[in-house]
């Protein structure tokens, strides 16, 4: 594994442990050159799923892009990286169960929102504002009203 700090090609695994759902392995590594410590995650590689964008173009499903969008939605919230990994794992499992080689961004967005609403309402609203392409404050108000109705049940 290449060191992200100095680029040296030899690193050593110091600690490995499975994720909570056993879908990935978290490895603590140390660079044999500069001594930097960093973490890597090893996941099962699944068949490639193509994402159909709103404009009709197709792109390969990118787990890292999904993780980055979750990190943005949950920034400065008390949600750990392990929770985000769990969400990504849940979404990937659901996409695999669909058995389709192609999936619309709408389905992925709905899966993300379904996961976020259960763990953090602020992150849910943040994600929804981008996913649903909010243009005005009233869009936020409408979503919060719907959210209030869901939490009153």
């Amino acid at each position: 594994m290449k060191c992200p700090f100095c680029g040296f090609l030899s690193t050593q695994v110091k600690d490995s442990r499975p994720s909570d759902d056993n879908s990935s392995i978290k490895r603590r590594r140390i660079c044999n050159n500069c001594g930097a410590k960093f973490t890597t995650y090893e996941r099962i590689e699944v068949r490639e799923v193509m994402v159909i964008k709103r404009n009709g173009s197709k792109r390969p499903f990118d787990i890292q892009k999904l993780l980055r969008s979750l990190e943005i939605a949950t920034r400065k919230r008390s949600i750990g990286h392990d929770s985000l990994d769990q969400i990504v794992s849940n979404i990937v499992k659901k996409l695999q169960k669909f058995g389709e080689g192609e999936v619309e961004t709408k389905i992925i967005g709905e899966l993300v929102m379904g996961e976020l609403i259960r763990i953090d309402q602020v992150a849910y609203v943040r994600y929804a504002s981008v996913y649903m392409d909010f243009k005005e404050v009233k869009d936020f108000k409408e979503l919060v009203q719907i959210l209030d109705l869901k939490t009153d049940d």
Side-chain angles (χ1 to χ4, degrees):
M1 174 73 56
K2 182 177 173 181
C3 175
F5 301 100
C6 73
F8 194 65
L9 293 177
S10 180
T11 60
Q12 189 174 12
V13 175
K14 289 297 185 185
D15 180 43
S16 291
R17 49 180 85 164
S19 63
D20 291 336
D21 66 349
N22 290 315
S23 67
S24 65
I25 304 282
K26 179 180 182 178
R27 299 191 193 280
R28 291 290 299 149
R29 296 179 177 269
I30 186 165
C31 177
N32 293 334
N33 183 49
C34 69
K37 295 178 182 176
F38 58 99
T39 302
T40 60
Y41 293 87
E42 181 180 315
R43 289 190 176 88
I44 297 171
E45 187 172 341
V46 296
R47 66 180 166 80
E48 186 171 70
V49 174
M50 294 301 286
V51 177
I52 304 169
K53 308 290 261 177
R54 289 181 183 164
N55 66 6
S57 67
K58 297 178 183 178
R59 299 250 161 50
F61 177 71
D62 184 351
I63 289 176
Q64 292 305 315
K65 183 176 179 181
L66 175 60
L67 186 57
R68 281 190 306 274
S69 69
L70 288 166
E71 288 170 345
I72 291 168
T74 59
R75 187 172 289 143
K76 296 188 179 183
R77 304 295 298 161
S78 59
I79 300 168
H81 195 75
D82 288 343
S83 295
L84 298 183
D85 281 340
Q86 181 66 47
I87 290 172
V88 169
S89 178
N90 291 346
I91 291 170
V92 168
K93 285 178 188 174
K94 289 174 184 174
L95 291 175
Q96 289 171 340
K97 285 181 183 177
F98 287 151
E100 301 292 325
E102 297 180 343
V103 63
E104 294 179 9
T105 55
K106 177 182 179 187
I107 292 171
I108 295 171
E110 289 171 0
L111 291 173
V112 171
M113 289 178 59
E115 294 286 332
L116 285 176
I117 198 167
R118 291 185 293 125
I119 64 164
D120 190 282
Q121 292 178 348
V122 172
Y124 172 83
V125 172
R126 286 177 177 172
Y127 185 86
S129 70
V130 175
Y131 165 68
M132 299 169 93
D133 195 25
F134 285 5
K135 301 283 187 217
E136 302 174 12
V137 173
K138 75 176 179 98
D139 298 331
F140 284 96
K141 289 179 183 177
E142 290 170 3
L143 182 68
V144 170
Q145 287 174 344
I146 292 168
L147 197 55
D148 283 343
L149 290 174
K150 286 183 180 183
T151 56
D152 288 343
D153 295 337

